Amino acid sequence: MAAADSASVGTIPVQHLRAGDHAFVSYADDDAGRDVVSAFAWAGLVKREKVMVFAAPHMQDEQVWARLDAPGALLGAARKNGQLVLSSMRALIRPEEAFTPRRQWERITQETDKALDEGYSGLRTYIDMHWVGDLGADVEVMMHRESHAQHLFEGRPYTEICSYDSRWFDPGVLAAMHEAHPCRLLPGLGVLHAEHADGVLQLVGEADIATREDFIVAVREGLRRCGDSRTLTVDLSGLIFLGAACAVDLLRLILEHPHGPVHVDCPPTPARILRRAGADQVPHLVINEVAS
């Protein structure tokens, strides 16, 4: 059996999910998140993983296929040969009718082993949590499953997104599930998320023309929080894309910050973009290349 990679931690874009990740995402309208499930499926197919999509029970299969862009050559072939499968929680737990964590864990384990036996590198599932209402399941039982499912992921080539409709679940449940999952996904593609901690600014997502103003605001706030003497670390390892304009903005803002040193942690590609933008000419700036 193939071993899983180390799981990701914290808020990440869907493109950074790896084998062994158990991720939370929420949405607030019927079209939100469709790019997340599509990107998730595409990435799995490229990695030679089997992909199972458990869509909201009220959606017709053809609606789901359309969201996945199934008429495309790759997805169409994957649909035909069984690499990409639509299912439901009701179908997964058959012949049982009532949901129990034990039954679902057993079936997920079986499906992961089956994917390996079929020659795939692993299994990834996208699960819309509307199945809870469809099966009349107890929310507390569902929450227990979510917070005690580590054995499905540890050392296993299994990846899962649990997708919560924020209009349907109680805010307290959403908050608890957000914390219970090791990974929290950005709600869509083309967005930028900033997290400020003690001396650290972490940027996740895409830093481009569309998110440029958010990027500038986040960097300014990070510099302000560190004041004149403390070191600020700007962590760009969670970015999918760093545009030239945002790279120039970062260097300009650091130049305007008169004192404390700034360390930028980033993979090789953003590091090259920053150096081409003139990073070597910026005093008290240190670029630390990290693995992508």
Side-chain angles (χ1 to χ4, degrees), residues 23-214:
F24 168 97
V25 71
S26 65
Y27 63 92
D29 64 70
D30 292 338
D31 286 328
R34 61 186 301 170
D35 54 354
V36 170
V37 63
S38 183
F40 181 67
W42 275 90
L45 299 181
V46 169
K47 293 179 179 180
R48 288 292 303 157
E49 296 174 335
K50 187 172 183 177
V51 181
M52 299 184 72
V53 176
F54 298 78
H58 61 268
M59 292 187 67
Q60 299 296 316
D61 282 0
E62 289 310 313
Q63 292 177 286
V64 183
W65 287 121
R67 288 190 170 203
L68 292 170
D69 190 29
L74 176 62
L75 291 183
R79 174 183 180 180
K80 185 176 181 179
N81 66 27
Q83 187 183 3
L84 177 60
V85 177
L86 299 191
S87 188
S88 67
M89 194 60 61
R90 188 178 293 274
L92 181 71
I93 65 174
R94 284 177 187 155
E96 303 296 331
E97 294 185 359
F99 173 85
T100 64
R102 180 184 294 275
R103 175 59 177 164
Q104 197 229 33
W105 290 336
E106 175 185 67
R107 288 292 294 115
I108 290 292
T109 299
Q110 291 172 352
E111 289 292 342
T112 304
D113 292 341
K114 180 182 176 183
L116 294 172
D117 289 342
E118 292 172 339
Y120 298 110
S121 62
L123 173 70
R124 58 173 53 198
T125 63
Y126 177 95
I127 303 176
D128 188 292
M129 301 303 288
H130 269 292
W131 68 260
V132 177
D134 181 56
L135 291 176
D138 185 277
V139 172
E140 293 293 331
V141 173
M142 176 276 293
M143 293 172 69
H144 174 81
R145 181 275 176 193
E146 291 282 69
S147 57
H148 292 79
Q150 297 92 332
H151 59 283
L152 295 177
F153 305 92
E154 294 173 352
R156 301 275 289 168
Y158 177 58
T159 313
E160 179 180 292
I161 294 178
C162 300
S163 180
Y164 289 77
D165 186 340
S166 61
R167 300 166 299 181
W168 194 82
F169 286 96
D170 181 85
V173 172
L174 292 171
M177 293 299 92
H178 182 275
E179 291 302 316
H181 287 73
C183 304
R184 277 77 67 184
L185 296 184
L186 297 180
L189 307 185
V191 298
L192 180 70
H193 172 73
E195 290 187 5
H196 296 274
D198 186 25
V200 177
L201 166 61
Q202 183 178 35
L203 293 165
V204 178
E206 300 182 34
D208 55 17
I209 295 299
T211 59
R212 186 178 180 185
E213 289 304 315
D214 293 335

